[in-house]
Amino acid sequence: TGFAVSSRTLAHIFNTESVAMIGAGLLVGRILACTGHGQGILAGAAVSLAYLLIFATTNHLALIFGASFLKGIAEALIVAASYAAASVMIPPRRRARWFGLFNATYFLSWGLAGTLIAGPLVDLMIRAGHTTTWAYRISYLAAFGLTLSGVILLGCLFFGRRQIQHAADLSGKF
């Protein structure tokens, strides 16, 4: 990050994320009951966009703590909403196998993005003569772009489906 923090400060930054995840985890059931699973995933992704942008652009350590807090909230929302949505969509008789596949793809997505996108991008930037700090900032911006693309796609699918359902409901009234 370029802040040259001590190991103790780094631990506090990560602990801030953990505290936020625990706190959000205690509230996420109520939030999803009000918003629904799709909107919960979108909300988590929107919060992810905020923390990625802060990580990529800030020069203030206090904002890194704030971004870590947002990261914990985003993770709690995304994990809970996606598992809840999957549990509704997967038929009970196929749940064991399909949840195995869901877990595999869900957790692989985190590792693959870092391995196939962020890592090579950072390496290329450093080889091109950029500082390590700049290279990591660019990787956060790349993650921001990838996440934004996913949010747009999910939003189109989610809101498109709602409009189709709304049109079907209206046609039944005539």
PDB file of all heavy atoms in Angstrom, residues 117-145:
ATOM      1  N   ILE A 117      -5.220 -12.461 -12.755  1.00  0.00           N
ATOM      2  CA  ILE A 117      -5.370 -11.055 -13.141  1.00  0.00           C
ATOM      3  C   ILE A 117      -4.449 -10.152 -12.320  1.00  0.00           C
ATOM      4  O   ILE A 117      -3.552  -9.514 -12.864  1.00  0.00           O
ATOM      5  CB  ILE A 117      -6.840 -10.594 -13.011  1.00  0.00           C
ATOM      6  CG1 ILE A 117      -7.735 -11.415 -13.950  1.00  0.00           C
ATOM      7  CG2 ILE A 117      -6.971  -9.109 -13.334  1.00  0.00           C
ATOM      8  CD1 ILE A 117      -9.209 -11.210 -13.750  1.00  0.00           C
ATOM      9  N   ALA A 118      -4.680 -10.080 -11.008  1.00  0.00           N
ATOM     10  CA  ALA A 118      -3.944  -9.122 -10.183  1.00  0.00           C
ATOM     11  C   ALA A 118      -2.450  -9.426 -10.135  1.00  0.00           C
ATOM     12  O   ALA A 118      -1.625  -8.524 -10.322  1.00  0.00           O
ATOM     13  CB  ALA A 118      -4.523  -9.082  -8.774  1.00  0.00           C
ATOM     14  N   GLY A 119      -2.097 -10.677  -9.890  1.00  0.00           N
ATOM     15  CA  GLY A 119      -0.678 -11.032  -9.797  1.00  0.00           C
ATOM     16  C   GLY A 119       0.102 -10.718 -11.059  1.00  0.00           C
ATOM     17  O   GLY A 119       1.119 -10.001 -11.004  1.00  0.00           O
ATOM     18  N   PRO A 120      -0.331 -11.229 -12.215  1.00  0.00           N
ATOM     19  CA  PRO A 120       0.388 -10.901 -13.452  1.00  0.00           C
ATOM     20  C   PRO A 120       0.405  -9.401 -13.757  1.00  0.00           C
ATOM     21  O   PRO A 120       1.395  -8.881 -14.278  1.00  0.00           O
ATOM     22  CB  PRO A 120      -0.385 -11.662 -14.531  1.00  0.00           C
ATOM     23  CG  PRO A 120      -1.012 -12.801 -13.803  1.00  0.00           C
ATOM     24  CD  PRO A 120      -1.342 -12.256 -12.447  1.00  0.00           C
ATOM     25  N   LEU A 121      -0.684  -8.697 -13.444  1.00  0.00           N
ATOM     26  CA  LEU A 121      -0.734  -7.259 -13.682  1.00  0.00           C
ATOM     27  C   LEU A 121       0.317  -6.529 -12.846  1.00  0.00           C
ATOM     28  O   LEU A 121       1.042  -5.666 -13.352  1.00  0.00           O
ATOM     29  CB  LEU A 121      -2.135  -6.718 -13.381  1.00  0.00           C
ATOM     30  CG  LEU A 121      -2.342  -5.221 -13.605  1.00  0.00           C
ATOM     31  CD1 LEU A 121      -2.103  -4.862 -15.072  1.00  0.00           C
ATOM     32  CD2 LEU A 121      -3.754  -4.840 -13.196  1.00  0.00           C
ATOM     33  N   VAL A 122       0.406  -6.889 -11.578  1.00  0.00           N
ATOM     34  CA  VAL A 122       1.418  -6.279 -10.704  1.00  0.00           C
ATOM     35  C   VAL A 122       2.813  -6.591 -11.230  1.00  0.00           C
ATOM     36  O   VAL A 122       3.677  -5.702 -11.306  1.00  0.00           O
ATOM     37  CB  VAL A 122       1.240  -6.756  -9.244  1.00  0.00           C
ATOM     38  CG1 VAL A 122       2.433  -6.374  -8.383  1.00  0.00           C
ATOM     39  CG2 VAL A 122      -0.042  -6.186  -8.653  1.00  0.00           C
ATOM     40  N   ASP A 123       3.066  -7.835 -11.600  1.00  0.00           N
ATOM     41  CA  ASP A 123       4.380  -8.215 -12.132  1.00  0.00           C
ATOM     42  C   ASP A 123       4.725  -7.418 -13.387  1.00  0.00           C
ATOM     43  O   ASP A 123       5.854  -6.940 -13.534  1.00  0.00           O
ATOM     44  CB  ASP A 123       4.423  -9.712 -12.443  1.00  0.00           C
ATOM     45  CG  ASP A 123       4.437 -10.569 -11.196  1.00  0.00           C
ATOM     46  OD1 ASP A 123       4.745 -10.045 -10.102  1.00  0.00           O
ATOM     47  OD2 ASP A 123       4.134 -11.772 -11.310  1.00  0.00           O
ATOM     48  N   LEU A 124       3.762  -7.281 -14.300  1.00  0.00           N
ATOM     49  CA  LEU A 124       4.004  -6.513 -15.524  1.00  0.00           C
ATOM     50  C   LEU A 124       4.303  -5.049 -15.233  1.00  0.00           C
ATOM     51  O   LEU A 124       5.194  -4.457 -15.848  1.00  0.00           O
ATOM     52  CB  LEU A 124       2.802  -6.611 -16.462  1.00  0.00           C
ATOM     53  CG  LEU A 124       2.622  -7.928 -17.200  1.00  0.00           C
ATOM     54  CD1 LEU A 124       1.275  -7.957 -17.916  1.00  0.00           C
ATOM     55  CD2 LEU A 124       3.750  -8.142 -18.198  1.00  0.00           C
ATOM     56  N   MET A 125       3.562  -4.478 -14.308  1.00  0.00           N
ATOM     57  CA  MET A 125       3.772  -3.071 -13.950  1.00  0.00           C
ATOM     58  C   MET A 125       5.168  -2.857 -13.338  1.00  0.00           C
ATOM     59  O   MET A 125       5.838  -1.886 -13.668  1.00  0.00           O
ATOM     60  CB  MET A 125       2.685  -2.597 -12.970  1.00  0.00           C
ATOM     61  CG  MET A 125       1.274  -2.603 -13.523  1.00  0.00           C
ATOM     62  SD  MET A 125       0.979  -1.392 -14.801  1.00  0.00           S
ATOM     63  CE  MET A 125       1.128   0.112 -13.887  1.00  0.00           C
ATOM     64  N   ILE A 126       5.570  -3.762 -12.472  1.00  0.00           N
ATOM     65  CA  ILE A 126       6.892  -3.640 -11.840  1.00  0.00           C
ATOM     66  C   ILE A 126       7.987  -3.824 -12.890  1.00  0.00           C
ATOM     67  O   ILE A 126       8.965  -3.069 -12.917  1.00  0.00           O
ATOM     68  CB  ILE A 126       7.024  -4.632 -10.668  1.00  0.00           C
ATOM     69  CG1 ILE A 126       6.091  -4.205  -9.522  1.00  0.00           C
ATOM     70  CG2 ILE A 126       8.471  -4.716 -10.185  1.00  0.00           C
ATOM     71  CD1 ILE A 126       5.968  -5.213  -8.403  1.00  0.00           C
ATOM     72  N   ARG A 127       7.827  -4.814 -13.769  1.00  0.00           N
ATOM     73  CA  ARG A 127       8.812  -5.018 -14.847  1.00  0.00           C
ATOM     74  C   ARG A 127       8.895  -3.813 -15.775  1.00  0.00           C
ATOM     75  O   ARG A 127       9.939  -3.546 -16.357  1.00  0.00           O
ATOM     76  CB  ARG A 127       8.469  -6.258 -15.655  1.00  0.00           C
ATOM     77  CG  ARG A 127       8.894  -7.524 -14.991  1.00  0.00           C
ATOM     78  CD  ARG A 127       8.813  -8.723 -15.939  1.00  0.00           C
ATOM     79  NE  ARG A 127       8.691  -9.923 -15.145  1.00  0.00           N
ATOM     80  CZ  ARG A 127       7.662 -10.741 -15.159  1.00  0.00           C
ATOM     81  NH1 ARG A 127       6.658 -10.533 -15.983  1.00  0.00           N
ATOM     82  NH2 ARG A 127       7.626 -11.798 -14.391  1.00  0.00           N
ATOM     83  N   ALA A 128       7.778  -3.105 -15.935  1.00  0.00           N
ATOM     84  CA  ALA A 128       7.753  -1.920 -16.793  1.00  0.00           C
ATOM     85  C   ALA A 128       8.370  -0.706 -16.111  1.00  0.00           C
ATOM     86  O   ALA A 128       8.435   0.370 -16.702  1.00  0.00           O
ATOM     87  CB  ALA A 128       6.321  -1.621 -17.221  1.00  0.00           C
ATOM     88  N   GLY A 129       8.808  -0.876 -14.859  1.00  0.00           N
ATOM     89  CA  GLY A 129       9.491   0.207 -14.160  1.00  0.00           C
ATOM     90  C   GLY A 129       8.657   1.007 -13.190  1.00  0.00           C
ATOM     91  O   GLY A 129       9.120   1.977 -12.619  1.00  0.00           O
ATOM     92  N   HIS A 130       7.414   0.600 -12.993  1.00  0.00           N
ATOM     93  CA  HIS A 130       6.556   1.309 -12.043  1.00  0.00           C
ATOM     94  C   HIS A 130       6.883   0.862 -10.616  1.00  0.00           C
ATOM     95  O   HIS A 130       7.374  -0.241 -10.398  1.00  0.00           O
ATOM     96  CB  HIS A 130       5.081   1.052 -12.343  1.00  0.00           C
ATOM     97  CG  HIS A 130       4.657   1.565 -13.666  1.00  0.00           C
ATOM     98  ND1 HIS A 130       4.398   2.894 -13.900  1.00  0.00           N
ATOM     99  CD2 HIS A 130       4.462   0.934 -14.859  1.00  0.00           C
ATOM    100  CE1 HIS A 130       4.060   3.063 -15.160  1.00  0.00           C
ATOM    101  NE2 HIS A 130       4.093   1.885 -15.767  1.00  0.00           N
ATOM    102  N   THR A 131       6.575   1.703  -9.662  1.00  0.00           N
ATOM    103  CA  THR A 131       6.817   1.342  -8.266  1.00  0.00           C
ATOM    104  C   THR A 131       5.851   0.248  -7.839  1.00  0.00           C
ATOM    105  O   THR A 131       4.784   0.070  -8.441  1.00  0.00           O
ATOM    106  CB  THR A 131       6.630   2.552  -7.334  1.00  0.00           C
ATOM    107  OG1 THR A 131       5.255   2.965  -7.378  1.00  0.00           O
ATOM    108  CG2 THR A 131       7.544   3.711  -7.718  1.00  0.00           C
ATOM    109  N   THR A 132       6.221  -0.463  -6.795  1.00  0.00           N
ATOM    110  CA  THR A 132       5.359  -1.507  -6.256  1.00  0.00           C
ATOM    111  C   THR A 132       4.022  -0.929  -5.811  1.00  0.00           C
ATOM    112  O   THR A 132       2.965  -1.512  -6.062  1.00  0.00           O
ATOM    113  CB  THR A 132       6.057  -2.207  -5.078  1.00  0.00           C
ATOM    114  OG1 THR A 132       7.324  -2.678  -5.522  1.00  0.00           O
ATOM    115  CG2 THR A 132       5.240  -3.361  -4.545  1.00  0.00           C
ATOM    116  N   THR A 133       4.076   0.245  -5.178  1.00  0.00           N
ATOM    117  CA  THR A 133       2.846   0.890  -4.717  1.00  0.00           C
ATOM    118  C   THR A 133       1.914   1.178  -5.888  1.00  0.00           C
ATOM    119  O   THR A 133       0.713   0.884  -5.830  1.00  0.00           O
ATOM    120  CB  THR A 133       3.168   2.194  -3.966  1.00  0.00           C
ATOM    121  OG1 THR A 133       4.010   1.886  -2.862  1.00  0.00           O
ATOM    122  CG2 THR A 133       1.918   2.893  -3.491  1.00  0.00           C
ATOM    123  N   TRP A 134       2.455   1.748  -6.955  1.00  0.00           N
ATOM    124  CA  TRP A 134       1.629   2.057  -8.118  1.00  0.00           C
ATOM    125  C   TRP A 134       1.061   0.785  -8.742  1.00  0.00           C
ATOM    126  O   TRP A 134      -0.106   0.733  -9.140  1.00  0.00           O
ATOM    127  CB  TRP A 134       2.433   2.853  -9.138  1.00  0.00           C
ATOM    128  CG  TRP A 134       1.625   3.245 -10.331  1.00  0.00           C
ATOM    129  CD1 TRP A 134       1.770   2.775 -11.595  1.00  0.00           C
ATOM    130  CD2 TRP A 134       0.525   4.161 -10.372  1.00  0.00           C
ATOM    131  NE1 TRP A 134       0.833   3.338 -12.426  1.00  0.00           N
ATOM    132  CE2 TRP A 134       0.049   4.203 -11.686  1.00  0.00           C
ATOM    133  CE3 TRP A 134      -0.112   4.941  -9.412  1.00  0.00           C
ATOM    134  CZ2 TRP A 134      -1.021   4.985 -12.079  1.00  0.00           C
ATOM    135  CZ3 TRP A 134      -1.177   5.725  -9.811  1.00  0.00           C
ATOM    136  CH2 TRP A 134      -1.616   5.748 -11.122  1.00  0.00           C
ATOM    137  N   ALA A 135       1.878  -0.262  -8.817  1.00  0.00           N
ATOM    138  CA  ALA A 135       1.428  -1.525  -9.402  1.00  0.00           C
ATOM    139  C   ALA A 135       0.254  -2.103  -8.617  1.00  0.00           C
ATOM    140  O   ALA A 135      -0.729  -2.575  -9.208  1.00  0.00           O
ATOM    141  CB  ALA A 135       2.583  -2.526  -9.446  1.00  0.00           C
ATOM    142  N   TYR A 136       0.331  -2.053  -7.300  1.00  0.00           N
ATOM    143  CA  TYR A 136      -0.779  -2.570  -6.494  1.00  0.00           C
ATOM    144  C   TYR A 136      -2.011  -1.688  -6.616  1.00  0.00           C
ATOM    145  O   TYR A 136      -3.134  -2.187  -6.623  1.00  0.00           O
ATOM    146  CB  TYR A 136      -0.365  -2.751  -5.030  1.00  0.00           C
ATOM    147  CG  TYR A 136       0.355  -4.056  -4.817  1.00  0.00           C
ATOM    148  CD1 TYR A 136       1.744  -4.115  -4.749  1.00  0.00           C
ATOM    149  CD2 TYR A 136      -0.354  -5.247  -4.723  1.00  0.00           C
ATOM    150  CE1 TYR A 136       2.400  -5.323  -4.584  1.00  0.00           C
ATOM    151  CE2 TYR A 136       0.285  -6.462  -4.561  1.00  0.00           C
ATOM    152  CZ  TYR A 136       1.668  -6.488  -4.493  1.00  0.00           C
ATOM    153  OH  TYR A 136       2.304  -7.688  -4.349  1.00  0.00           O
ATOM    154  N   ARG A 137      -1.825  -0.398  -6.714  1.00  0.00           N
ATOM    155  CA  ARG A 137      -2.978   0.490  -6.908  1.00  0.00           C
ATOM    156  C   ARG A 137      -3.683   0.164  -8.222  1.00  0.00           C
ATOM    157  O   ARG A 137      -4.911   0.141  -8.290  1.00  0.00           O
ATOM    158  CB  ARG A 137      -2.542   1.954  -6.877  1.00  0.00           C
ATOM    159  CG  ARG A 137      -2.196   2.441  -5.488  1.00  0.00           C
ATOM    160  CD  ARG A 137      -1.724   3.886  -5.514  1.00  0.00           C
ATOM    161  NE  ARG A 137      -1.270   4.295  -4.211  1.00  0.00           N
ATOM    162  CZ  ARG A 137      -1.932   5.150  -3.434  1.00  0.00           C
ATOM    163  NH1 ARG A 137      -3.064   5.673  -3.843  1.00  0.00           N
ATOM    164  NH2 ARG A 137      -1.452   5.473  -2.257  1.00  0.00           N
ATOM    165  N   ILE A 138      -2.911  -0.106  -9.259  1.00  0.00           N
ATOM    166  CA  ILE A 138      -3.498  -0.468 -10.549  1.00  0.00           C
ATOM    167  C   ILE A 138      -4.253  -1.792 -10.436  1.00  0.00           C
ATOM    168  O   ILE A 138      -5.317  -1.963 -11.040  1.00  0.00           O
ATOM    169  CB  ILE A 138      -2.409  -0.526 -11.644  1.00  0.00           C
ATOM    170  CG1 ILE A 138      -1.838   0.868 -11.907  1.00  0.00           C
ATOM    171  CG2 ILE A 138      -2.949  -1.141 -12.930  1.00  0.00           C
ATOM    172  CD1 ILE A 138      -2.848   1.888 -12.397  1.00  0.00           C
ATOM    173  N   SER A 139      -3.723  -2.731  -9.645  1.00  0.00           N
ATOM    174  CA  SER A 139      -4.435  -4.006  -9.487  1.00  0.00           C
ATOM    175  C   SER A 139      -5.775  -3.792  -8.785  1.00  0.00           C
ATOM    176  O   SER A 139      -6.759  -4.461  -9.111  1.00  0.00           O
ATOM    177  CB  SER A 139      -3.580  -5.033  -8.741  1.00  0.00           C
ATOM    178  OG  SER A 139      -3.502  -4.748  -7.364  1.00  0.00           O
ATOM    179  N   TYR A 140      -5.834  -2.856  -7.844  1.00  0.00           N
ATOM    180  CA  TYR A 140      -7.118  -2.547  -7.208  1.00  0.00           C
ATOM    181  C   TYR A 140      -8.076  -1.897  -8.206  1.00  0.00           C
ATOM    182  O   TYR A 140      -9.279  -2.163  -8.188  1.00  0.00           O
ATOM    183  CB  TYR A 140      -6.940  -1.637  -5.992  1.00  0.00           C
ATOM    184  CG  TYR A 140      -6.421  -2.347  -4.776  1.00  0.00           C
ATOM    185  CD1 TYR A 140      -5.222  -1.963  -4.171  1.00  0.00           C
ATOM    186  CD2 TYR A 140      -7.123  -3.402  -4.203  1.00  0.00           C
ATOM    187  CE1 TYR A 140      -4.742  -2.623  -3.049  1.00  0.00           C
ATOM    188  CE2 TYR A 140      -6.660  -4.057  -3.081  1.00  0.00           C
ATOM    189  CZ  TYR A 140      -5.462  -3.658  -2.511  1.00  0.00           C
ATOM    190  OH  TYR A 140      -4.997  -4.302  -1.403  1.00  0.00           O
ATOM    191  N   LEU A 141      -7.548  -1.049  -9.086  1.00  0.00           N
ATOM    192  CA  LEU A 141      -8.397  -0.443 -10.110  1.00  0.00           C
ATOM    193  C   LEU A 141      -8.899  -1.496 -11.095  1.00  0.00           C
ATOM    194  O   LEU A 141     -10.046  -1.429 -11.555  1.00  0.00           O
ATOM    195  CB  LEU A 141      -7.646   0.672 -10.845  1.00  0.00           C
ATOM    196  CG  LEU A 141      -7.428   1.951 -10.039  1.00  0.00           C
ATOM    197  CD1 LEU A 141      -6.563   2.933 -10.822  1.00  0.00           C
ATOM    198  CD2 LEU A 141      -8.750   2.591  -9.644  1.00  0.00           C
ATOM    199  N   ALA A 142      -8.058  -2.476 -11.424  1.00  0.00           N
ATOM    200  CA  ALA A 142      -8.498  -3.577 -12.296  1.00  0.00           C
ATOM    201  C   ALA A 142      -9.601  -4.375 -11.609  1.00  0.00           C
ATOM    202  O   ALA A 142     -10.607  -4.743 -12.243  1.00  0.00           O
ATOM    203  CB  ALA A 142      -7.321  -4.479 -12.647  1.00  0.00           C
ATOM    204  N   ALA A 143      -9.446  -4.633 -10.312  1.00  0.00           N
ATOM    205  CA  ALA A 143     -10.487  -5.341  -9.554  1.00  0.00           C
ATOM    206  C   ALA A 143     -11.768  -4.511  -9.524  1.00  0.00           C
ATOM    207  O   ALA A 143     -12.878  -5.057  -9.624  1.00  0.00           O
ATOM    208  CB  ALA A 143      -9.999  -5.628  -8.137  1.00  0.00           C
ATOM    209  N   PHE A 144     -11.618  -3.193  -9.402  1.00  0.00           N
ATOM    210  CA  PHE A 144     -12.774  -2.302  -9.435  1.00  0.00           C
ATOM    211  C   PHE A 144     -13.509  -2.446 -10.772  1.00  0.00           C
ATOM    212  O   PHE A 144     -14.738  -2.588 -10.807  1.00  0.00           O
ATOM    213  CB  PHE A 144     -12.320  -0.844  -9.222  1.00  0.00           C
ATOM    214  CG  PHE A 144     -13.433   0.158  -9.305  1.00  0.00           C
ATOM    215  CD1 PHE A 144     -14.178   0.471  -8.183  1.00  0.00           C
ATOM    216  CD2 PHE A 144     -13.741   0.787 -10.499  1.00  0.00           C
ATOM    217  CE1 PHE A 144     -15.219   1.398  -8.251  1.00  0.00           C
ATOM    218  CE2 PHE A 144     -14.772   1.712 -10.581  1.00  0.00           C
ATOM    219  CZ  PHE A 144     -15.506   2.022  -9.455  1.00  0.00           C
ATOM    220  N   GLY A 145     -12.764  -2.422 -11.872  1.00  0.00           N
ATOM    221  CA  GLY A 145     -13.376  -2.556 -13.199  1.00  0.00           C
ATOM    222  C   GLY A 145     -14.067  -3.893 -13.390  1.00  0.00           C
ATOM    223  O   GLY A 145     -15.190  -3.960 -13.921  1.00  0.00           O
TER     224      GLY A 145
END
